[in-house]
Amino acid sequence: MLEDMAPMEYGSIEEMSIRAASICAVDAIKEEMNDPENHRGGPWTPVTSVLIDFFLWDLAKLVENGEVSLTGPEKERNVILPSHRTRSIYY
Protein backbone atom coordinates (compact mmCIF):
# COMPACT_ATOMS: atom_id res chain seq x y z
CA MET A 1 0.00 0.00 0.00
CA LEU A 2 2.81 2.41 0.84
CA GLU A 3 4.79 1.66 -2.32
CA ASP A 4 1.64 2.11 -4.41
CA MET A 5 0.85 5.34 -2.54
CA ALA A 6 -2.66 3.97 -2.09
CA PRO A 7 -4.84 6.00 0.28
CA MET A 8 -5.49 4.40 3.66
CA GLU A 9 -8.84 4.83 5.29
CA TYR A 10 -8.66 6.88 8.48
CA GLY A 11 -9.05 4.51 11.43
CA SER A 12 -8.19 1.39 9.42
CA ILE A 13 -5.96 -1.25 11.00
CA GLU A 14 -3.10 -0.25 8.69
CA GLU A 15 -3.39 3.46 9.46
CA MET A 16 -3.74 2.93 13.21
CA SER A 17 -0.75 0.55 13.21
CA ILE A 18 1.45 3.13 11.50
CA ARG A 19 0.24 5.85 13.85
CA ALA A 20 0.82 3.68 16.94
CA ALA A 21 4.30 2.64 15.78
CA SER A 22 5.29 6.25 15.15
CA ILE A 23 4.09 7.29 18.62
CA CYS A 24 6.09 4.46 20.23
CA ALA A 25 9.20 5.30 18.19
CA VAL A 26 9.06 9.01 19.01
CA ASP A 27 8.52 8.23 22.70
CA ALA A 28 11.54 5.89 22.75
CA ILE A 29 13.71 8.54 21.05
CA LYS A 30 12.51 11.17 23.53
CA GLU A 31 13.29 8.94 26.53
CA GLU A 32 16.79 8.31 25.20
CA MET A 33 17.46 11.96 24.40
CA ASN A 34 16.15 13.17 27.76
CA ASP A 35 18.08 10.63 29.83
CA PRO A 36 20.65 12.62 31.86
CA GLU A 37 23.08 9.68 31.60
CA ASN A 38 23.44 10.43 27.88
CA HIS A 39 24.58 14.04 28.38
CA ARG A 40 27.91 13.50 30.11
CA GLY A 41 27.28 16.36 32.51
CA GLY A 42 27.02 18.97 29.78
CA PRO A 43 24.18 21.45 29.39
CA TRP A 44 21.05 20.23 27.66
CA THR A 45 17.43 21.12 27.23
CA PRO A 46 14.80 18.37 27.34
CA VAL A 47 13.08 17.76 24.01
CA THR A 48 9.40 17.11 23.48
CA SER A 49 7.64 14.51 21.38
CA VAL A 50 6.26 17.26 19.15
CA LEU A 51 9.76 18.54 18.31
CA ILE A 52 10.98 15.04 17.48
CA ASP A 53 7.90 14.27 15.39
CA PHE A 54 8.27 17.48 13.35
CA PHE A 55 11.99 16.88 12.86
CA LEU A 56 11.47 13.28 11.71
CA TRP A 57 8.66 14.27 9.33
CA ASP A 58 10.78 16.98 7.72
CA LEU A 59 13.78 14.63 7.51
CA ALA A 60 11.69 11.86 5.94
CA LYS A 61 10.43 14.26 3.27
CA LEU A 62 14.00 15.36 2.47
CA VAL A 63 15.18 11.73 2.22
CA GLU A 64 12.11 10.72 0.21
CA ASN A 65 12.78 13.56 -2.27
CA GLY A 66 16.45 12.62 -2.57
CA GLU A 67 17.66 15.91 -1.05
CA VAL A 68 19.36 14.24 1.94
CA SER A 69 21.07 10.89 2.38
CA LEU A 70 21.32 9.22 5.76
CA THR A 71 24.17 7.00 4.55
CA GLY A 72 26.54 9.73 3.44
CA PRO A 73 27.48 11.20 0.08
CA GLU A 74 29.71 8.29 -0.98
CA LYS A 75 26.89 5.76 -0.85
CA GLU A 76 23.71 5.37 -2.83
CA ARG A 77 20.76 7.47 -1.79
CA ASN A 78 18.49 5.92 0.81
CA VAL A 79 15.40 4.20 -0.43
CA ILE A 80 12.58 4.63 2.03
CA LEU A 81 8.91 3.86 1.82
CA PRO A 82 6.74 6.87 1.10
CA SER A 83 4.54 8.23 3.86
CA HIS A 84 1.08 6.80 4.17
CA ARG A 85 -1.75 8.71 2.56
CA THR A 86 -4.71 9.30 4.88
CA ARG A 87 -7.25 12.10 4.72
CA SER A 88 -7.90 13.36 8.19
CA ILE A 89 -8.09 16.56 10.21
CA TYR A 90 -5.55 15.01 12.62
CA TYR A 91 -2.54 15.14 10.29
Side-chain angles (χ1 to χ4, degrees), residues 38-91:
N38 296 327
H39 296 279
R40 300 183 186 119
W44 60 281
T45 302
V47 296
T48 65
S49 297
V50 172
L51 279 175
I52 296 167
D53 184 59
F54 284 165
F55 174 81
L56 291 175
W57 176 259
D58 290 343
L59 179 61
K61 292 288 122 194
L62 291 171
V63 172
E64 188 177 287
N65 293 333
E67 298 173 50
V68 168
S69 173
L70 299 177
T71 56
E74 71 284 350
K75 302 202 180 197
E76 289 184 33
R77 292 284 183 193
N78 295 359
V79 177
I80 64 170
L81 289 171
S83 303
H84 68 290
R85 307 303 195 255
T86 301
R87 285 209 177 267
S88 169
I89 62 170
Y90 301 106
Y91 288 101

Side-chain angles (χ1 to χ4, degrees), residues 25-39 44 47 52:
V26 166
D27 192 52
I29 292 168
K30 181 182 80 173
E31 291 300 314
E32 195 67 24
M33 289 180 75
N34 288 336
D35 184 346
E37 299 255 335
N38 296 327
H39 296 279
W44 60 281
V47 296
I52 296 167

